[in-house]
Amino acid sequence: MRDLLGVTLSGRNTLFVLLLILGLFAGLFLPNLLWLSNSTLKISNGSAWTLEKITIEVTGGREDIESLTAGAKTMVLLPVTGESDMKLRYRIKTGETSTQQEQGCNAGYIEAGMYHVIAEIDASGAATCSVELASLSRLLVFEMF
Protein backbone atom coordinates (compact mmCIF):
# COMPACT_ATOMS: atom_id res chain seq x y z
CA MET A 1 0.00 0.00 0.00
CA ARG A 2 1.34 3.47 -0.87
CA ASP A 3 0.39 6.62 0.97
CA LEU A 4 0.40 10.18 -0.37
CA LEU A 5 4.08 10.66 0.46
CA GLY A 6 5.15 7.68 -1.58
CA VAL A 7 6.21 5.62 1.43
CA THR A 8 5.51 1.90 1.16
CA LEU A 9 3.65 0.47 4.15
CA SER A 10 3.52 -3.24 4.89
CA GLY A 11 0.41 -4.81 6.38
CA ARG A 12 1.84 -4.68 9.88
CA ASN A 13 2.89 -1.00 9.54
CA THR A 14 -0.48 -0.08 8.04
CA LEU A 15 -2.25 -1.65 11.01
CA PHE A 16 0.06 0.18 13.42
CA VAL A 17 -0.59 3.55 11.72
CA LEU A 18 -4.34 2.91 11.71
CA LEU A 19 -4.33 2.01 15.42
CA LEU A 20 -2.24 5.09 16.19
CA ILE A 21 -4.70 7.36 14.37
CA LEU A 22 -7.68 5.70 16.10
CA GLY A 23 -5.90 6.10 19.46
CA LEU A 24 -5.40 9.81 18.86
CA PHE A 25 -9.07 10.29 18.00
CA ALA A 26 -10.12 8.26 21.05
CA GLY A 27 -7.83 10.36 23.25
CA LEU A 28 -9.56 13.52 22.02
CA PHE A 29 -13.17 12.29 22.09
CA LEU A 30 -13.41 9.84 25.03
CA PRO A 31 -13.11 12.60 27.66
CA ASN A 32 -16.22 14.11 26.05
CA LEU A 33 -18.20 11.08 27.21
CA LEU A 34 -17.26 11.99 30.79
CA TRP A 35 -18.20 15.59 30.03
CA LEU A 36 -21.58 14.57 28.59
CA SER A 37 -22.44 12.36 31.54
CA ASN A 38 -21.69 15.00 34.20
CA SER A 39 -22.48 18.62 34.80
CA THR A 40 -19.53 20.96 35.19
CA LEU A 41 -18.66 24.45 36.36
CA LYS A 42 -15.90 26.48 34.75
CA ILE A 43 -14.79 29.52 36.77
CA SER A 44 -12.65 32.24 35.18
CA ASN A 45 -11.25 34.88 37.52
CA GLY A 46 -10.80 38.01 35.40
CA SER A 47 -10.29 40.25 38.42
CA ALA A 48 -7.00 41.46 39.88
CA TRP A 49 -7.79 39.79 43.22
CA THR A 50 -7.81 36.28 44.62
CA LEU A 51 -11.18 34.61 45.18
CA GLU A 52 -11.30 32.86 48.53
CA LYS A 53 -13.65 30.40 50.21
CA ILE A 54 -15.38 29.49 46.96
CA THR A 55 -18.54 27.46 47.59
CA ILE A 56 -20.69 25.74 44.98
CA GLU A 57 -24.09 24.57 46.19
CA VAL A 58 -26.32 22.16 44.25
CA THR A 59 -28.97 19.60 45.12
CA GLY A 60 -26.95 16.52 45.91
CA GLY A 61 -23.94 18.18 47.41
CA ARG A 62 -21.58 21.03 47.89
CA GLU A 63 -18.09 21.66 46.57
CA ASP A 64 -15.57 23.92 48.25
CA ILE A 65 -12.55 25.41 46.52
CA GLU A 66 -9.96 27.02 48.74
CA SER A 67 -8.98 29.90 46.43
CA LEU A 68 -8.55 30.99 42.81
CA THR A 69 -5.81 33.49 42.03
CA ALA A 70 -6.21 36.49 39.73
CA GLY A 71 -6.40 35.45 36.07
CA ALA A 72 -6.76 31.73 36.89
CA LYS A 73 -9.39 29.28 35.64
CA THR A 74 -10.68 26.01 37.03
CA MET A 75 -13.20 23.36 36.03
CA VAL A 76 -15.18 21.33 38.58
CA LEU A 77 -17.46 18.30 38.17
CA LEU A 78 -20.68 19.20 39.97
CA PRO A 79 -22.17 16.68 42.43
CA VAL A 80 -25.68 17.16 41.04
CA THR A 81 -28.39 14.55 41.56
CA GLY A 82 -31.55 15.10 39.55
CA GLU A 83 -32.79 18.62 38.98
CA SER A 84 -31.10 21.45 40.82
CA ASP A 85 -30.25 25.11 41.09
CA MET A 86 -26.59 26.03 41.27
CA LYS A 87 -25.27 28.82 43.47
CA LEU A 88 -21.70 30.09 43.43
CA ARG A 89 -20.42 32.10 46.40
CA TYR A 90 -16.95 33.45 47.10
CA ARG A 91 -15.20 36.06 49.21
CA ILE A 92 -13.12 38.78 47.59
CA LYS A 93 -11.17 41.73 48.92
CA THR A 94 -11.11 44.37 46.20
CA GLY A 95 -8.95 47.46 46.23
CA GLU A 96 -12.04 49.50 47.15
CA THR A 97 -12.66 47.84 50.52
CA SER A 98 -10.50 46.81 53.42
CA THR A 99 -12.64 43.76 54.29
CA GLN A 100 -13.69 40.77 52.24
CA GLN A 101 -17.08 40.91 50.58
CA GLU A 102 -19.22 37.92 49.72
CA GLN A 103 -20.24 37.84 46.08
CA GLY A 104 -21.47 35.24 43.64
CA CYS A 105 -24.14 34.32 41.14
CA ASN A 106 -27.02 31.92 40.67
CA ALA A 107 -26.86 29.84 37.51
CA GLY A 108 -30.44 28.69 37.79
CA TYR A 109 -31.74 25.33 36.58
CA ILE A 110 -29.34 22.49 35.82
CA GLU A 111 -29.56 18.70 35.74
CA ALA A 112 -27.19 15.88 36.63
CA GLY A 113 -25.76 15.48 33.13
CA MET A 114 -24.91 17.58 30.09
CA TYR A 115 -25.34 20.97 31.79
CA HIS A 116 -22.30 23.21 31.94
CA VAL A 117 -22.14 26.38 33.95
CA ILE A 118 -19.69 29.13 33.05
CA ALA A 119 -18.93 31.63 35.81
CA GLU A 120 -16.96 34.67 34.74
CA ILE A 121 -15.61 37.05 37.34
CA ASP A 122 -15.10 40.48 35.78
CA ALA A 123 -12.46 43.11 36.54
CA SER A 124 -14.59 44.59 39.35
CA GLY A 125 -14.94 41.18 41.07
CA ALA A 126 -18.60 40.64 40.15
CA ALA A 127 -19.74 37.26 38.81
CA THR A 128 -21.93 36.35 35.86
CA CYS A 129 -23.19 32.78 35.48
CA SER A 130 -24.55 31.23 32.30
CA VAL A 131 -25.67 27.69 31.53
CA GLU A 132 -25.05 25.73 28.32
CA LEU A 133 -25.84 22.23 27.18
CA ALA A 134 -22.93 19.97 26.25
CA SER A 135 -22.03 19.64 22.62
CA LEU A 136 -19.93 17.05 20.85
CA SER A 137 -18.77 19.78 18.48
CA ARG A 138 -16.62 21.25 21.30
CA LEU A 139 -13.83 19.15 22.76
CA LEU A 140 -13.40 19.02 26.53
CA VAL A 141 -9.64 19.36 26.09
CA PHE A 142 -10.12 22.87 24.70
CA GLU A 143 -12.78 23.82 27.28
CA MET A 144 -10.44 23.07 30.17
CA PHE A 145 -7.83 25.64 29.16
Side-chain angles (χ1 to χ4, degrees):
M1 177 178 180
R2 287 194 159 278
D3 67 3
L4 296 176
L5 299 175
V7 177
T8 304
L9 296 175
S10 68
R12 180 179 260 170
N13 288 343
T14 302
L15 181 61
F16 175 73
V17 169
L18 182 62
L19 289 175
L20 181 66
I21 291 170
L22 288 174
L24 289 173
F25 278 113
L28 286 174
F29 290 108
L30 284 180
N32 275 27
L33 295 178
L34 174 67
W35 193 32
L36 290 173
S37 65
N38 291 287
S39 290
T40 61
L41 167 65
K42 182 178 180 180
I43 305 172
S44 300
N45 184 3
S47 74
W49 306 284
T50 299
L51 307 179
E52 296 182 4
K53 297 181 182 177
I54 302 167
T55 303
I56 304 147
E57 294 180 12
V58 293
T59 303
R62 174 182 165 153
E63 285 289 322
D64 293 315
I65 302 171
E66 196 170 306
S67 63
L68 188 63
T69 59
K73 297 178 183 178
T74 190
M75 184 177 268
V76 178
L77 291 176
L78 295 173
V80 180
T81 57
E83 300 174 351
S84 179
D85 286 334
M86 195 225 69
K87 296 176 183 152
L88 170 69
R89 299 286 176 255
Y90 57 90
R91 300 195 60 74
I92 186 169
K93 182 178 176 182
T94 63
E96 301 167 4
T97 63
S98 60
T99 60
Q100 287 187 336
Q101 298 175 337
E102 183 172 293
Q103 294 198 27
C105 59
N106 295 336
Y109 177 82
I110 61 173
E111 290 184 15
M114 295 182 58
Y115 281 75
H116 305 292
V117 181
I118 299 168
E120 295 179 345
I121 314 305
D122 64 19
S124 70
T128 307
C129 286
S130 60
V131 179
E132 298 178 353
L133 287 174
S135 169
L136 283 175
S137 64
R138 295 181 356 229
L139 293 174
L140 175 64
V141 172
F142 298 120
E143 292 294 320
M144 292 175 64
F145 302 104

